[in-house]
Amino acid sequence: MSERKVRVRFAPSPTGALHMGGVRTALYNYLFARKNGGDFLLRIEDTDSGRFVPGAEQYIIDSLKWCGIEVDEGVSVGGPHAPYRQSERREIYWKYAQELVEKGWAYYAFDTAEELAALRAEYESQGKTFAYNYEVREKLPTSLSLAADEVETRIARGDIWVIRFKMPENETVRMNDLVRGEVTVHTSTLDDKVLYKSADRLPTYHLANIVDDHLMEISHVIRGEEWLPSLPLHYLLYRAFGWSDTQPLFAHLPLLLKPDGKGKLSKRDGDKLGFPVFPLYWVSPTGETARGYREDGYFPEAFVNMLALLGWNPGIEQEIFSMQELIELFSIEHVGKSGSRFNPEKARWFNAQHLKRKSDRELAELFLPELQKRGVEAPLDKVERICGLIKDRATFVSDFWDLSSYFFAAPQEYEEKAVRKFWKGENPARVAHIAELLECTEPFDVRRAEQTVHDWIVSESLPMGQVMNSLRLAVVGRSMGPGMFDIIELIGREETLRRIRHALTVIKIPE
Ligand code: GLU
C-alpha cells in the first residue's frame, strides 16, 4: 500500500461561502499532493439538497483559483472518474446501498420523522436519550423486524423509508489517524446512521463519501477535525464493502480557533473584530454579504502563507514562504494536534512581508489604476521608484496613496506638530537658503543635492535634524517619509523650489 499513488481530494459541500478553515483543508491536501507527486481532486458533495446554496460551487472554484491551488481532477476540470458532483452520481450510490442491505450490513427503516420525534420525547420523559441502535432496531418497523413481504409491500406502495447502517454490537473499532495516532471507539456509543433516503433518492454524506473515495482511488483523506466522530462508521463501511485493504489513510486537522482561543473561528468573530473569514467577497442568494481577503487587499500568497502556518509548522525559524517552498517543506507529521488560534494582526503582518518582497515594477502596476482613479497621470518608471521608496511602510497597496501623495501633488496642509517643533528660529531662513543652493546644484540628483545641502549644514555647524526636518516639512508637509533627497530628485528642481517658496509664505511661525 505504501507504493500507492498519492491521490487526495477536497470535498466541500456547497452550503455557502467557503470558510478560511475550508481553504486551509484544501491547501494542506494540495501541498501534500504536490509534495508527493500525487493528484489533487475537487469533488462537490451536494447530496444534502436542503442545504444546497446556488453560487457556492463557483465560489469554491474561484477561491481555490485565487489561492493558486490547482485542481488536477474535479468539477472544474473533469477527469477519468467524472462526474465529480455527487448529485450526478445517484445510480452509483443506489447500487452500493442495495449491496449493503443484501450483505446484511444495512436495513430498511420505515419509521416516520413524527414517530421518531415521539419516541425521542418518550425517552426523554424517562430521563433517557434515544439512540437508533441495536437496542431498538428490531422493535421499530424495519426490514429486521418486519416480514420480507411486508417490506416489499411498503416499498412498492411508496412508503417513505431510509436505509440505515447496522452498527455491529459490542465491538471496539481501532483506527489510525496520521495526526492523532491510534483512536479507539466502542460501537455501543454509536448509532445506526442513515445511509440512503427514499425521499430524494439520494445517499447521505457517509455513504457517498466512502463510495467515492474508493472509486476515485483516494489514498489519503485530509479533512477537518469535525469529521473524526464519523471515522468509526467510515472504517466499518470500508469493511462492509470489503475494501479495508485499500481504504485511505486518514488525517484530521485541528480546528481554527477565535483570536481569544475560545471556540471555533466564525464569521461573527470576523464581523466583530473587523477581519474577513472568507477568501473572497460573498453575496448569498438572499443578499447577505461577507467580506473577503481578496477585496480587503490581501495578496493570495500572503493568505496562503498565513493559512499554511495555522496548524502546521515547518520545523524551522523562517515564516515567509512561497507556495513552492511550502510544497517542498510540507509534511503531515508536522501538523499539530491542538487548535490554532487565528491572529488578525499576524495576517496583516504576512501581507506586509509579501508586499515587501514584490518587485517595485509589480507594485507600480498595482498602484497605477489607483492613481488613475484619482486623476493622477504619472509614468510607470517614476511610480516604480516611488513604490520602492514607500513599500517598507505599507501593509496593503491601498496604503500607497497616503504614503506617497506628496510625490504627485504639493502638500495642502502642514502637520501641526511638526510646524511647532521645527518651523521656528532660524529654520525658515535656512530652508530659504537651501532653496538657493538647490537652484544651482548640477546635476540635480540625489547624490549631488544631498552633498551640497549636507556640506553647507556642516560647514555652518547647524543642527542637522532641525534643518532637515524643516526642509521636509516645507516640501512634504509632514515629518515622516523616505529619504529627503530621493523625494527632491523625483519631484524635480522646479517643483521643489516652488514648494519651498510656497511654504515660506504660508506656514505661520507659531507664537
Ligand atoms: N463534504 C464534507 C465537508 O463538507 C467532506 C468531509 C470529508 O472530507 O470527508 O466538509
Side-chain angles (χ1 to χ4, degrees):
M1 221 163 78
S2 55
E3 297 300 306
R4 196 170 180 192
K5 170 148 198 200
V6 166
R7 283 173 61 80
V8 293
R9 83 308 190 269
F10 179 49
S13 300
T15 54
L18 179 63
H19 187 275
M20 59 193 272
V23 183
R24 187 193 59 169
T25 301
L27 176 65
Y28 285 15
N29 274 285
Y30 174 72
L31 296 175
F32 185 74
R34 286 290 173 273
K35 167 79 187 249
N36 295 291
D39 298 326
F40 172 72
L41 282 75
L42 173 61
R43 184 173 75 221
I44 296 294
E45 300 206 326
D46 57 350
T47 57
D48 188 348
S49 42
R51 297 186 63 213
F52 178 81
V53 172
E57 180 184 312
Q58 193 55 45
Y59 182 93
I60 292 164
I61 293 170
D62 294 344
S63 300
L64 298 186
K65 203 167 184 178
W66 180 67
C67 291
I69 299 173
E70 298 155 1
V71 176
D72 300 311
E73 264 180 63
V75 279
S76 44
V77 293
H81 298 282
Y84 292 91
R85 200 176 282 118
Q86 288 187 328
S87 58
E88 292 166 14
R89 299 169 64 80
R90 288 166 189 260
E91 293 74 33
I92 300 176
Y93 309 124
W94 174 229
K95 180 178 139 241
Y96 286 105
Q98 284 173 298
E99 182 184 326
L100 287 182
V101 175
E102 277 155 25
K103 285 182 170 170
W105 278 101
Y107 59 91
Y108 286 92
F110 296 96
D111 35 71
T112 62
E114 295 77 40
E115 282 163 358
L116 279 182
L119 217 53
R120 227 168 242 129
E122 193 187 313
Y123 268 65
E124 262 162 41
S125 71
Q126 297 166 14
K128 295 189 288 182
T129 27
F130 174 76
Y132 210 118
N133 61 13
Y134 62 98
E135 286 179 343
V136 301
R137 62 171 75 118
E138 279 167 38
K139 297 182 194 137
L140 292 167
T142 65
S143 56
L144 302 172
S145 61
L146 301 170
D149 55 349
E150 170 71 11
V151 171
E152 266 168 45
T153 309
R154 287 185 178 223
I155 293 174
R157 73 175 180 225
D159 280 10
I160 295 286
W161 49 261
V162 296
I163 293 176
R164 285 183 182 268
F165 186 66
K166 191 175 163 203
M167 185 56 72
E169 268 175 67
N170 201 16
E171 190 185 323
T172 301
V173 187
R174 285 180 205 291
M175 298 155 285
N176 200 52
D177 182 79
L178 295 173
V179 175
R180 264 149 255 268
E182 195 183 64
V183 183
T184 57
V185 170
H186 197 265
T187 52
S188 63
T189 64
L190 304 170
D191 58 356
D192 292 356
K193 283 272 181 285
V194 173
L195 300 177
Y196 197 93
K197 297 163 283 146
S198 69
D200 51 13
R201 305 291 306 181
L202 276 171
T204 58
Y205 155 74
H206 303 291
L207 178 68
N209 187 272
I210 267 49
V211 166
D212 283 348
D213 282 350
H214 172 73
L215 295 178
M216 295 179 185
E217 300 173 75
I218 297 303
S219 64
H220 295 75
V221 167
I222 304 171
R223 63 184 172 191
E225 191 179 80
E226 63 272 28
W227 299 104
L228 194 57
S230 300
L231 191 58
L233 171 63
H234 295 182
Y235 259 67
L236 292 168
L237 278 169
Y238 281 108
R239 188 170 90 189
F241 281 120
W243 299 335
S244 296
D245 287 352
T246 55
Q247 81 176 39
L249 300 175
F250 291 89
H252 288 86
L253 306 175
L255 292 177
L256 277 193
L257 303 177
K258 298 176 193 297
D260 65 6
K262 292 183 191 140
K264 217 170 138 176
L265 182 69
S266 76
K267 176 175 178 295
R268 251 177 303 132
D269 302 314
D271 294 340
K272 235 174 17 210
L273 297 167
F275 60 84
V277 296
F278 300 107
L280 316 178
Y281 179 70
W282 161 256
V283 189
S284 79
T286 56
E288 268 175 83
T289 60
R291 57 201 275 193
Y293 279 87
R294 181 177 66 185
E295 290 71 17
D296 271 22
Y298 285 82
F299 294 117
E301 308 86 289
F303 179 60
V304 159
N305 190 164
M306 169 199 75
L307 275 185
L309 297 185
L310 277 175
W312 166 79
N313 77 80
I316 52 175
E317 287 288 300
Q318 189 183 336
E319 284 188 284
I320 302 302
F321 300 101
S322 66
M323 185 72 98
Q324 200 45 46
E325 290 170 314
L326 290 172
I327 289 169
E328 275 152 34
L329 285 165
F330 189 77
S331 74
I332 291 183
E333 290 82 72
H334 279 115
V335 171
K337 286 189 184 51
S338 47
S340 311
R341 202 187 275 215
F342 170 70
N343 177 349
E345 260 319 303
K346 191 81 193 224
R348 284 190 273 273
W349 178 82
F350 274 109
N351 207 62
Q353 299 305 311
H354 279 271
L355 187 149
K356 256 188 233 162
R357 280 165 177 74
K358 287 201 180 290
S359 74
D360 299 345
R361 171 60 64 129
E362 203 178 337
L363 292 173
E365 274 157 7
L366 295 171
F367 189 27
L368 264 189
E370 166 78 24
L371 288 173
Q372 276 153 7
K373 242 189 282 160
R374 291 173 182 274
V376 175
E377 286 300 329
L380 186 63
D381 51 353
K382 179 176 172 185
V383 178
E384 187 178 335
R385 268 194 70 192
I386 294 170
C387 289
L389 292 173
I390 58 165
K391 68 180 180 184
D392 279 356
R393 292 160 211 267
T395 302
F396 300 105
V397 172
S398 58
D399 298 334
F400 281 11
W401 174 252
D402 269 349
L403 290 169
S404 70
S405 58
Y406 54 82
F407 283 106
F408 307 101
Q412 298 295 310
E413 47 195 39
Y414 300 89
E415 197 188 319
E416 218 186 290
K417 222 173 97 201
V419 170
R420 247 182 287 118
K421 200 157 164 205
F422 303 116
W423 206 254
K424 59 186 179 196
E426 296 298 302
N427 286 344
R430 289 165 179 160
V431 172
H433 183 73
I434 290 175
E436 279 167 32
L437 294 174
L438 292 176
E439 219 171 330
C440 40
T441 300
E442 280 308 334
F444 191 80
D445 62 17
V446 184
R447 223 172 51 85
R448 187 56 63 90
E450 180 162 17
Q451 201 177 29
T452 311
V453 175
H454 274 194
D455 286 354
W456 174 70
I457 295 175
V458 170
S459 69
E460 299 289 315
S461 304
L462 302 175
M464 184 68 79
Q466 284 281 325
V467 181
M468 287 305 297
N469 275 307
S470 305
L471 175 64
R472 184 181 289 276
L473 179 66
V475 177
V476 175
R478 47 181 118 161
S479 56
M480 304 266 279
M484 194 57 225
F485 295 98
D486 287 302
I487 299 174
I488 283 179
E489 184 192 295
L490 264 165
I491 64 177
R493 190 197 315 263
E494 246 176 79
E495 177 68 10
T496 305
L497 298 181
R498 195 173 19 228
R499 288 190 190 185
I500 292 177
R501 284 178 198 131
H502 184 71
L504 286 168
T505 58
V506 298
I507 309 182
K508 301 273 176 305
I509 299 184
E511 265 108 67

